């Protein structure tokens, strides 16, 4: 390693359930890929269900400050059936996405050779969902009155700012320039006329600066049909926070299961670290059994490397994963076996 090799600090948050089993493999892949290229130091954070049940802490300020000082974050999964829905999701995962202003939730979907799609005729699937990450229905705007009474009122308000929308729209067009140069805006502008119209106008305006990129529009309901009838039509799908959450789960299923789907929560202005995680959850039903597929976690390590500018190094992980899936994708293997097999190819 040369003396000029740059040092990076990576925050590792395995979290809950299978997150604890797959994240070590993401870290090992990162370590191996980075050998001789960059120096990575890892800072582990004990955050998630166990910690919360032990001492009530979800994301203490001092720990969040340390996370903010790192160069990137590897996250496993968050969620535990012993804890009321929303506490860890809002208090840990979404708090990080919001506080670190990770406004692009980047979710590629690719049908690898060797994977059986549930679709009879899937075609060549290779698209990326650019999901807005800091606004929409996820903001937490709303509340409840007369809770628990027959007259209860509950509201959740979708927040859409021109600033927040424009920055993610720009990201989508820049990304399309590096791909097949097509952006599909997905919304529900026939009903959500305020937000939908603003998204469309901003897309139309930004598109003028990218004459090489074509763009079209689909309602979210129609998108769910095309996702199973003609998924190879998509290149870059641009959408808001909640639509993006839903459509990426469907996309994961279409490419053979979320075990192959990685994601990045990106702060594209690099003001704070970006965070990389498999899109699957903590899967309590199979946790602790060495059954979970670590492939998505390993692919998120590759996305992390891409983000830090190590494109060739990232490509070495992608290639190992692709070769592994092609040869052994349909073989039943444990978490550790898949991890070892992928690393052996790097
Ligand atoms: C995801 C998850 C999260 C989300 C939950 C756990 C808050 O479903 O990353 O897709 O809704 O964004
Ligand atoms: Mn989701």
């Amino acid at each position: 390693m040369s003396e000029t090799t740059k040092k990076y600090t990576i925050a590792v948050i395995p979290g809950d359930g299978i997150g604890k089993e797959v994240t070590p493999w993401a870290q090992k892949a990162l370590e191996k890929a980075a050998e001789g290229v960059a120096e990575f130091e890892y800072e582990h954070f004990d955050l998630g269900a166990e910690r919360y049940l032990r001492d009530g802490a979800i994301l203490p300020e001092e720990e969040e400050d340390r996370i903010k000082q790192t160069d990137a974050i590897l996250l496993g999964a968050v969620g535990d059936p012993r804890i009321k829905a929303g506490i860890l999701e809002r208090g840990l995962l979404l708090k990080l996405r919001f506080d670190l202003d990770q406004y692009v939730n980047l979710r590629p979907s690719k049908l690898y050779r060797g994977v059986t799609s549930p679709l009879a005729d899937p075609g060549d699937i290779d698209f990326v969902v650019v999901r807005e990450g800091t606004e929409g229905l996820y903001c937490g705007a709303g509340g409840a009155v007369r809770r628990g009474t027959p007259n209860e009122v509950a509201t959740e308000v979708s927040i859409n700012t021109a600033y927040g929308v424009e920055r993610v729209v720009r990201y989508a067009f820049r990304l399309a320039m590096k791909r097949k140069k097509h952006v599909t805006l997905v919304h529900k502008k026939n009903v959500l006329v305020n937000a939908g119209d603003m998204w469309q106008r901003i897309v139309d305006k930004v598109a003028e600066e990218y004459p090489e990129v074509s763009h079209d529009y689909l309602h979210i309901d129609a998108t769910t049909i095309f996702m199973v009838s003609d998924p190879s039509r998509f290149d870059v799908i641009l959408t808001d926070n909640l639509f993006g959450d839903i459509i990426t789960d469907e996309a994961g299923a279409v490419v053979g299961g979320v075990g192959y789907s990685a994601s990045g929560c990106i702060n594209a202005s690099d003001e704070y670290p970006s965070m990389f995680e498999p899109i699957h959850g903590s899967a309590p039903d199979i946790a602790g059994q060495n059954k979970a597929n670590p492939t998505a976690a390993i692919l998120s390590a590759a996305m992390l490397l891409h983000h830090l500018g190590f494109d060739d190094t990232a490509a070495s992980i992608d290639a190992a994963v692709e070769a592994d899936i092609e040869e052994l994708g349909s073989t039943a293997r444990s978490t550790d076996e898949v991890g070892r097999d992928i690393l052996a190819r790097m």
Side-chain angles (χ1 to χ4, degrees):
M1 200 170 291
S2 77
E3 285 189 0
T4 52
T5 309
K6 206 175 154 192
K7 258 196 197 157
Y8 295 86
T9 309
I10 309 297
V12 182
I13 312 173
D16 302 325
I18 61 168
K20 289 207 184 76
E21 296 162 64
V22 297
T23 310
W25 285 108
Q27 185 182 333
K28 283 185 194 130
L30 202 55
E31 267 167 20
K32 185 155 187 192
E35 262 165 38
V37 178
E39 205 177 310
F40 284 82
E41 241 166 49
Y42 299 88
E43 198 175 338
H44 285 256
F45 290 87
D46 172 22
L47 297 168
E50 298 295 339
R51 171 79 184 276
Y52 176 67
L53 291 172
R54 204 171 62 236
D55 65 10
I58 304 177
L59 180 58
E61 214 176 298
E62 183 269 331
E63 280 159 77
E64 188 178 24
D65 285 344
R66 275 196 284 136
I67 292 172
K68 282 182 179 165
Q69 302 305 314
T70 66
D71 296 291
I73 305 158
L74 264 187
L75 184 109
V78 170
D80 186 296
R82 293 170 294 176
I83 298 167
K84 191 175 174 218
I87 293 185
L88 295 175
E89 290 86 347
R90 288 221 84 93
L92 177 54
L93 181 60
L94 297 179
K95 186 161 168 52
L96 283 171
R97 287 186 193 160
F98 280 75
D99 289 356
L100 275 51
D101 203 22
Q102 294 164 341
Y103 60 90
V104 177
N105 198 312
L106 196 62
R107 300 187 154 190
S109 275
K110 185 169 168 179
L111 180 59
Y112 290 103
R113 250 181 297 158
V115 175
T116 314
S117 165
L119 307 181
D121 182 16
D124 187 9
I125 306 175
D126 184 0
F127 62 82
V128 180
V129 175
V130 173
R131 164 189 177 191
E132 202 291 321
T134 54
E135 299 198 340
L137 275 159
Y138 276 67
C139 283
V145 286
R146 301 193 290 270
R147 207 164 165 268
T149 75
N151 302 322
E152 178 163 352
V153 178
T155 61
E156 311 276 359
V157 181
S158 177
I159 307 280
N160 297 262
T161 70
Y163 163 77
V165 172
E166 179 161 341
R167 61 183 183 170
V168 71
V169 168
R170 289 192 174 282
Y171 187 93
F173 276 84
R174 281 199 305 272
L175 179 63
M177 283 298 286
K178 293 187 228 154
R179 296 180 46 96
K180 287 173 272 173
K181 300 192 169 62
H182 186 72
V183 173
T184 303
L185 171 63
V186 169
H187 210 279
K188 185 72 185 174
K189 67 179 180 182
N190 53 342
V191 175
L192 308 180
V193 292
N194 303 311
D197 187 62
M198 183 175 81
W199 271 84
Q200 183 68 71
R201 277 182 285 114
I202 292 173
V203 165
D204 292 342
K205 184 189 80 176
V206 171
E208 285 174 21
E209 295 168 35
Y210 295 87
E212 285 169 63
V213 178
S214 57
H215 68 102
D216 60 2
Y217 170 85
L218 280 177
H219 293 319
I220 179 66
D221 45 355
T223 308
T224 63
I225 295 178
F226 284 121
M227 192 56 75
V228 294
S229 64
D230 186 19
S232 62
R233 65 185 279 140
F234 297 118
D235 179 23
V236 175
I237 294 178
L238 165 65
T239 192
D240 82 354
N241 212 338
L242 184 62
F243 295 146
D245 176 47
I246 298 165
I247 207 70
T248 52
D249 265 18
E250 192 189 14
V254 160
V255 295
V258 286
Y260 300 117
S261 304
S263 78
C265 303
I266 313 278
N267 178 313
S269 21
D270 284 332
E271 195 187 347
Y272 294 112
S274 295
M275 181 161 76
F276 299 85
E277 50 171 330
I279 82 162
H280 62 66
S282 55
D285 52 324
I286 60 159
Q289 299 171 40
N290 196 20
K291 270 188 188 168
N293 188 343
T295 303
I298 292 174
L299 285 170
S300 59
M303 287 183 81
L304 183 155
L305 285 166
H306 260 298
H307 178 75
L308 295 181
F310 299 106
D311 290 349
D312 295 341
T313 316
S316 74
I317 296 184
D318 286 332
V321 166
E322 277 191 44
D324 175 76
I325 297 174
E326 185 167 359
E327 197 181 316
L328 297 167
S330 49
T331 318
R333 287 176 292 169
S334 67
T335 307
D336 294 339
E337 282 168 334
V338 178
R340 274 197 295 267
D341 287 347
I342 293 175
L343 258 78
R345 289 175 195 273
M346 286 173 52

